Amino acid sequence: MTQAPATTRAARRQHDREIVMLAVPAFGALVAEPLFVMADSAIVGHLGTAQLAGLGVASALLTTAVSVFVFLAYATTAAVARRVGAGDLQAAIRQGMDGIWLALLIGATVIAVVLPSAPALVDLFGTSDTAAPYATTYLRISSIGIPAMLVVLAATGVLRGLQNTKTPLYVAISGFVANGALNVGLVYGADLGIAGSAWGTVIAQWGMAAVYLVVVVRGARRHGASLRPDTAGIRASAQAGAPLLVRTLSLRAILLIATAVAARLGDADIAAHQIILSLWSLLAMALDAIAIAGQAIIGRYLGADDPQGARAACRRMVQWGIAVGVVLGLLVIVSRPLFLPLFTSDSTVKDTALPALIMVALSQPICGVVFVLDGVLMGAGDGPYLAGAMLVTLAVFAPLALLVPTFGAGLTALWGAMTLMMTVRMLTLLLRARSGRWLVTGATR
């Protein structure tokens, strides 16, 4: 068997080191984020069922509001990484500041919408009369933290673009610890109830934003970058993020359609679907960590006018995505009997979930390719193509998913449609990756 040349093996080892260096801390930071909601739920849950129900509704609204603007992290990572590759750290940080100013503007707008409309938004969820006041209280107070959450997204993108994923990990862990301590102290020590939980989370979020701002501002001063808002730069950040917003909204629509279809299948199906969706989201975080590494690495290579390096890095990351996907799929299959009892003791729900979990397991290598190539094309600033590809995927998935109840199929068929959806995404992304049209070099795309 012919051995790979030493230079090729050395290049692979270099790519592997970079991927691990960026992906492992990124995964830690991604996992820390949902722990905020889990900590709030554990603390508020002891106040009563109505309070916990209210928290559930408010958290769903807040999570949706923030996740829609995740492009603040993605677009900033790509733009900053390009300038890092070009050797212009001053412009890189200046670009990052534009993203942070955009985050503050969007956050202020969201507050202006949420504060007066909180009761109406809660009512849209069909919240019970007992839970609605708690949901409204939590939503109104927590909305004050939305600008901080968006600043965290943008600043995280700045640091990722600078090839630094360790600082976001440290900030996320510190924020989680502070959030838990503040919640316990305000909910029970100060006897503020669910309002205390909301204030604790807001304080923790602004504390995280403050830490990020200190780090970025120090970097700006070190490299002589201006901190003032630049209208043209903010506009450019918004334009780069707009296609990614379309992509994110399309993905959210797919997940909402899947949940709506599962609800029509029956109580056991929607319960099993929620369990599987939570697992699927956790698995996605492991794969998304590699995608984050891809955004930073690809942007740097293209900024350095090295398309061959970018293509080689892309190839190696796809191999990582497939390998991690295979491992995750095997873990799902092996852990099924242990995983389901953690969420339910209902045998009907377990029986419904088991075959659907097999479908999830089989799809993980496909998901690995999808997440990695998504990150690669984001790092290349190829947002318009990603938006178009996701709209095509939505157009394929929606009718298939909606036909599942019509033909009397169950949850396994629905997750089969989800697997087909990921397959369509994979094909569209592979076509783009192989075309080479994303290999646009230079400090700006």
Side-chain angles (χ1 to χ4, degrees):
M1 184 175 65
T2 303
Q3 292 186 339
T7 53
T8 302
R9 293 198 299 270
R12 287 178 178 175
R13 285 196 296 270
Q14 176 63 25
H15 290 316
D16 291 344
R17 282 194 295 269
E18 285 190 325
I19 292 168
V20 171
M21 181 184 70
L22 293 172
V24 172
F27 175 67
L30 289 170
V31 171
E33 292 173 9
L35 291 179
F36 270 75
V37 177
M38 290 179 64
D40 287 2
S41 299
I43 294 166
V44 171
H46 292 286
L47 294 175
T49 301
Q51 289 90 333
L52 184 58
L55 173 66
V57 172
S59 294
L61 287 165
L62 289 164
T63 301
T64 300
V66 173
S67 63
V68 162
F69 299 112
V70 73
F71 70 83
L72 288 167
Y74 295 159
T76 304
T77 298
V80 171
R82 273 184 176 269
R83 287 160 176 78
V84 168
D88 192 347
L89 289 178
Q90 182 185 70
I93 296 175
R94 174 65 261 180
Q95 179 69 41
M97 286 303 306
D98 292 335
I100 290 173
W101 280 112
L102 177 61
L104 287 170
L105 289 173
I106 294 174
T109 303
V110 174
I111 287 181
V113 172
V114 171
L115 278 177
S117 62
L121 292 171
V122 168
D123 187 58
L124 283 175
F125 272 65
T127 314
S128 68
D129 292 339
T130 54
Y134 297 113
T136 301
T137 297
Y138 191 94
L139 181 59
R140 277 180 166 158
I141 295 172
S142 293
S143 67
I144 299 171
I146 288 178
M149 296 166 75
L150 298 185
V151 166
V152 167
L153 284 177
T156 299
V158 176
L159 295 181
R160 288 174 181 170
L162 293 170
Q163 318 297 295
N164 177 1
T165 57
K166 289 184 179 179
T167 298
L169 172 61
Y170 300 147
V171 175
I173 292 173
S174 301
F176 170 69
V177 173
N179 178 65
L182 286 166
N183 269 255
V184 171
L186 294 175
V187 171
Y188 297 111
D191 198 26
L192 293 179
I194 195 169
S197 176
W199 280 117
T201 301
V202 167
I203 293 169
Q205 288 164 346
W206 276 108
M208 292 170 65
V211 172
Y212 274 117
L213 288 174
V214 168
V215 172
V216 174
V217 167
R218 283 179 179 174
R221 288 176 175 170
R222 187 182 310 119
H223 297 286
S226 173
L227 299 175
R228 295 180 179 179
D230 177 68
T231 303
I234 294 172
R235 187 184 302 113
S237 294
Q239 289 172 346
L244 297 181
L245 175 61
V246 173
R247 167 202 167 275
T248 301
L249 289 173
S250 300
L251 180 57
R252 283 281 157 186
I254 287 171
L255 297 178
L256 286 172
I257 290 170
T259 299
V261 170
R264 291 177 62 188
L265 296 176
D267 290 347
D269 292 89
I270 185 60
H273 175 75
Q274 288 303 111
I275 293 171
I276 295 170
L277 189 60
S278 66
L279 174 64
W280 192 78
S281 299
L282 179 61
L283 298 173
M285 288 180 188
L287 298 170
D288 202 27
I290 305 174
I292 288 169
Q295 294 171 27
I297 293 170
I298 295 299
R300 191 190 74 230
Y301 273 115
L302 294 178
D305 292 322
D306 186 0
Q308 294 306 315
R311 190 183 287 277
C314 171
R315 188 181 306 113
R316 190 58 177 164
M317 280 183 281
V318 168
Q319 292 169 354
W320 268 80
I322 294 171
V324 173
V326 169
V327 171
L328 292 176
L330 292 173
L331 286 175
V332 170
I333 293 173
V334 171
S335 65
R336 282 184 309 152
L338 302 174
F339 171 74
L340 289 173
L342 294 175
F343 290 86
T344 182
S345 57
D346 190 321
S347 59
T348 303
V349 174
K350 291 179 185 177
D351 291 342
T352 303
L354 279 171
L357 278 173
I358 293 291
M359 192 67 67
V360 171
L362 294 175
S363 70
Q364 287 312 296
I366 297 172
C367 294
V369 176
V370 169
F371 276 85
V372 167
L373 290 181
D374 215 32
V376 165
L377 296 183
M378 283 183 190
D382 206 13
Y385 182 84
L386 290 173
M390 189 59 79
L391 287 171
V392 170
T393 303
L394 173 60
V396 172
F397 172 78
L400 288 175
L402 294 173
L403 286 173
V404 169
T406 303
F407 287 99
L411 190 66
T412 302
L414 176 59
W415 276 94
M418 288 285 285
T419 300
L420 178 61
M421 177 270 294
M422 293 302 291
T423 303
V424 172
R425 287 187 69 187
M426 181 181 70
L427 292 175
T428 58
L429 295 174
L430 282 173
L431 285 172
R432 186 63 167 183
R434 290 179 177 176
S435 73
R437 294 178 182 175
W438 56 279
L439 292 165
V440 180
T441 60
T444 58
R445 183 177 170 88

